[in-house]
Amino acid sequence: MTMIEYVRSRSMPLPLVYNRLALEWMGAVSSMLKIYDTYSSIFYKALMMLLQEDGVSSKENPYMRMLNIMDAMLDEELKSERFAHLLTDYLDSWLSIHAMLKRIYPVRHYDIMLEDILAEQFRSYTRMLSFMLSTQNLPIDASGYDVVYIKGKVRLLHYRGGKGYPILIVYAMINRYHIMDVSKDKSVVRRLIEGGLDVYMLDWGHMGYEDEHLSLEDYIHILDEVVDKVREVSSKDRISMLGYCWGGIVSLIYASLYKQKLNSLIVMAAPVDFDKDDGILAVWAKAIDARRLVEEYGHMNGQALDIAFLLRNPVRYTVMKYLNLWKRINDRAFVETFYAVERWLYNTPTVPGRFYEQIIEDLYKGNMLVRGLLEVDGKRVDLKSIDIPLLTIVAENDDLTAPASTLAVNDHVSSKEKRVMSIPGGHVGLCISSIAHKQLWPNVARWVIEKARESSIEEANGRSVGGGKENQG
């Protein structure tokens, strides 16, 4: 059946359908051109400012100076209400087109096909890069592990060589866990093992169309099963948990509901007070209609997120990084890390629609986590109920999660032991920068062990007191 035959079978007037589609298409094109004009205008203005500047040191790289000018201009413009309106106008027009097409013709298989094509473009890029840099044999995981739990696409990885107190890393759902074990020299997992910890990783896997129904509650249920498995394998009643980015959000929620299973919590670069998250992506997230997006597509496409990440600063996140690569092309360790990060960066999984909608609407827009309005399975999530030792980790120049948003967690929990660790650099630098591996992660391991020991002593004293009372009775 052709589209025209399908429309006629639904008794819909073709002229009206075509007129509305044409109007929405024109609106989408108009918004897209305005967005393009915003970027090109900033590039042109930065170039003109560079050419008109007086007194610039001859030793200063003109290209870097122009990039710095563009950084400031992009940061201001892309957070503005004007740009947010442009973005929402474009998205609204596109979603309206999709809604009309969906009403008159089954477009689901076209959505799947187009998303597969987009994903293949990113995979082709990483294959080409691998060929050019001779990194075809570079393993995805730098450290060996055993899979000790599987549920659907979710796996629990237990890394070999670890000993001592267990720590569970809860990674974000909008990327894969590989950045925590990206290479031998840049492996957070290895630093923690070297620090004397027994390391476990929660791998959320690649969610697909069949997982669109998964909600925040489902993620919490899975996390609880995983925690119980870690307790079983490690033979420990309590474990330490490290939540990174959106994984930190879920970890906080979990800790408020099941703190008795944890002896310490680490929140790393996770948005907590969303009113204080003024990063570009947070501003955009607060502007879009997540409910409508999920209603149309059922999920948030991973490659669409990749494009959004690039649009924060197209020149710096495309041209600049390849110039840096060229400068250090003879540094094999740098080249391999560069490729490993690129491979990780463009392997973004689909985010289930229900979960994505809850995160955007309830947290980014409603800020319900710190306001005490969020509920999971009918239970109110109260951050004040968290009284276990808390470590907050931030990157000083994080442009994905504002440090102020993460640090705000200390104002909303009841923990007596609160510590903050910070390093220069950005969001990903927490995992791959030299200073992170030389200073941050050894300190994190020592803190976890110290708090785990204190927890063990408290438990032993509690049992001793309890036993003494029973004997007296």
Side-chain angles (χ1 to χ4, degrees), residues 25-208:
W25 180 254
M26 290 174 63
V29 171
S30 175
S31 298
M32 186 168 60
L33 289 174
K34 290 176 182 177
I35 291 172
Y36 172 79
D37 181 64
T38 298
Y39 284 97
S40 58
S41 295
I42 289 174
F43 180 84
Y44 176 76
K45 289 176 183 177
L47 179 60
M48 290 299 100
M49 287 181 64
L50 179 68
L51 295 176
Q52 294 171 10
E53 275 188 345
D54 294 323
V56 177
S57 171
S58 59
K59 295 182 179 180
E60 187 172 8
N61 187 317
Y63 179 71
M64 290 303 302
R65 175 60 184 156
M66 181 176 171
L67 274 181
N68 292 333
I69 294 172
M70 286 182 63
D71 286 346
M73 296 174 73
L74 282 169
D75 189 65
E76 179 181 0
E77 178 59 32
L78 299 187
K79 293 179 182 177
S80 68
E81 283 190 28
R82 189 192 79 87
F83 190 84
H85 283 308
L86 285 179
L87 196 64
T88 53
D89 286 347
Y90 170 76
L91 187 60
D92 287 345
S93 294
W94 183 257
L95 292 176
S96 294
I97 292 170
H98 189 271
M100 281 186 281
L101 291 175
K102 191 167 67 174
R103 287 179 58 194
I104 63 177
Y105 200 74
V107 296
R108 178 70 166 182
H109 57 287
Y110 287 112
D111 290 341
I112 295 173
M113 180 180 67
L114 290 173
E115 290 186 0
D116 285 345
I117 291 173
L118 185 58
E120 181 57 32
Q121 297 305 308
F122 283 100
R123 286 193 292 268
S124 296
Y125 158 73
T126 55
R127 286 196 298 266
M128 178 192 70
L129 190 64
S130 174
F131 175 77
M132 293 176 63
L133 299 178
S134 300
T135 54
Q136 296 96 325
N137 298 322
L138 192 67
I140 294 178
D141 299 293
S143 306
Y145 58 78
D146 297 307
V147 178
V148 295
Y149 167 94
I150 297 177
K151 184 170 185 177
K153 295 169 184 174
V154 178
R155 303 183 305 164
L156 174 62
L157 315 181
H158 182 202
Y159 288 92
R160 299 176 193 135
K163 58 183 179 179
Y165 295 104
I167 182 170
L168 170 63
I169 301 174
V170 183
Y171 195 70
M173 305 77 183
I174 53 175
N175 277 115
R176 299 300 304 282
Y177 69 92
H178 306 293
I179 195 65
M180 305 294 285
D181 188 34
V182 74
S183 69
K184 293 180 180 180
D185 296 329
K186 304 290 185 180
S187 171
V188 174
V189 169
R190 291 195 175 205
R191 297 297 87 75
L192 294 177
I193 291 175
E194 290 168 359
L197 293 173
D198 186 17
V199 182
Y200 297 77
M201 180 79 71
L202 177 50
D203 171 21
W204 296 108
H206 259 283
M207 296 300 176

Side-chain angles (χ1 to χ4, degrees), residues 123-397:
R123 286 193 292 268
S124 296
Y125 158 73
T126 55
R127 286 196 298 266
M128 178 192 70
L129 190 64
S130 174
F131 175 77
M132 293 176 63
L133 299 178
S134 300
T135 54
Q136 296 96 325
N137 298 322
L138 192 67
I140 294 178
D141 299 293
S143 306
Y145 58 78
D146 297 307
V147 178
V148 295
Y149 167 94
I150 297 177
K151 184 170 185 177
K153 295 169 184 174
V154 178
R155 303 183 305 164
L156 174 62
L157 315 181
H158 182 202
Y159 288 92
R160 299 176 193 135
K163 58 183 179 179
Y165 295 104
I167 182 170
L168 170 63
I169 301 174
V170 183
Y171 195 70
M173 305 77 183
I174 53 175
N175 277 115
R176 299 300 304 282
Y177 69 92
H178 306 293
I179 195 65
M180 305 294 285
D181 188 34
V182 74
S183 69
K184 293 180 180 180
D185 296 329
K186 304 290 185 180
S187 171
V188 174
V189 169
R190 291 195 175 205
R191 297 297 87 75
L192 294 177
I193 291 175
E194 290 168 359
L197 293 173
D198 186 17
V199 182
Y200 297 77
M201 180 79 71
L202 177 50
D203 171 21
W204 296 108
H206 259 283
M207 296 300 176
Y209 300 99
E210 64 278 7
D211 305 303
E212 292 175 346
H213 65 282
L214 292 178
S215 65
L216 177 60
E217 289 78 5
D218 293 314
Y219 278 88
I220 295 297
H221 296 162
I222 294 171
L223 179 54
D224 190 37
E225 291 182 18
V226 165
V227 168
D228 286 342
K229 190 64 181 180
V230 174
R231 294 166 67 210
E232 175 191 331
V233 174
S234 64
S235 299
K236 300 290 186 182
D237 289 334
R238 294 186 177 188
I239 69 169
S240 296
M241 181 178 290
L242 187 161
Y244 184 16
C245 194
W246 279 19
I249 299 173
V250 174
S251 297
L252 261 179
I253 295 171
Y254 180 84
S256 74
L257 301 172
Y258 301 98
K259 64 180 182 180
Q260 70 276 11
K261 298 182 181 182
L262 306 177
N263 54 41
S264 66
L265 176 66
I266 304 172
V267 176
M268 182 168 85
V272 178
D273 187 340
F274 293 83
D275 287 345
K276 294 181 178 180
D277 194 351
D278 60 353
I280 290 173
L281 291 182
V283 171
W284 293 354
K286 295 170 186 176
I288 67 172
D289 188 343
R291 287 195 176 94
R292 192 178 178 201
L293 189 151
V294 170
E295 180 183 349
E296 288 302 317
Y297 286 96
H299 59 271
M300 182 62 192
N301 177 259
Q303 282 62 57
L305 288 171
D306 290 337
I307 293 171
F309 290 145
L310 290 174
L311 287 175
R312 292 175 298 143
N313 196 322
V315 175
R316 187 171 287 279
Y317 296 133
T318 54
V319 179
M320 184 61 192
K321 67 180 179 182
Y322 296 116
L323 289 177
N324 288 336
L325 173 63
W326 177 251
K327 290 178 182 178
R328 301 184 62 177
I329 197 68
N330 293 320
D331 183 344
R332 194 59 194 169
F334 177 85
V335 169
E336 289 184 354
T337 299
F338 179 92
Y339 170 72
V341 172
E342 288 291 286
R343 179 175 57 188
W344 162 80
L345 190 63
Y346 297 115
N347 184 29
T348 306
T350 291
V351 183
R354 177 62 184 142
F355 174 76
Y356 179 78
E357 180 182 333
Q358 287 175 292
I359 293 293
I360 300 301
E361 297 295 333
D362 294 346
L363 301 185
Y364 276 90
K365 294 182 182 181
N367 204 18
M368 294 171 68
L369 183 58
V370 299
R371 292 172 63 199
L373 301 176
L374 186 68
E375 290 189 357
V376 173
D377 290 331
K379 300 176 183 177
R380 187 170 68 90
V381 176
D382 182 10
L383 295 184
K384 285 293 183 184
S385 68
I386 300 176
D387 56 8
I388 57 176
L390 174 70
L391 171 61
T392 312
I393 301 175
V394 294
E396 296 170 3
N397 308 112

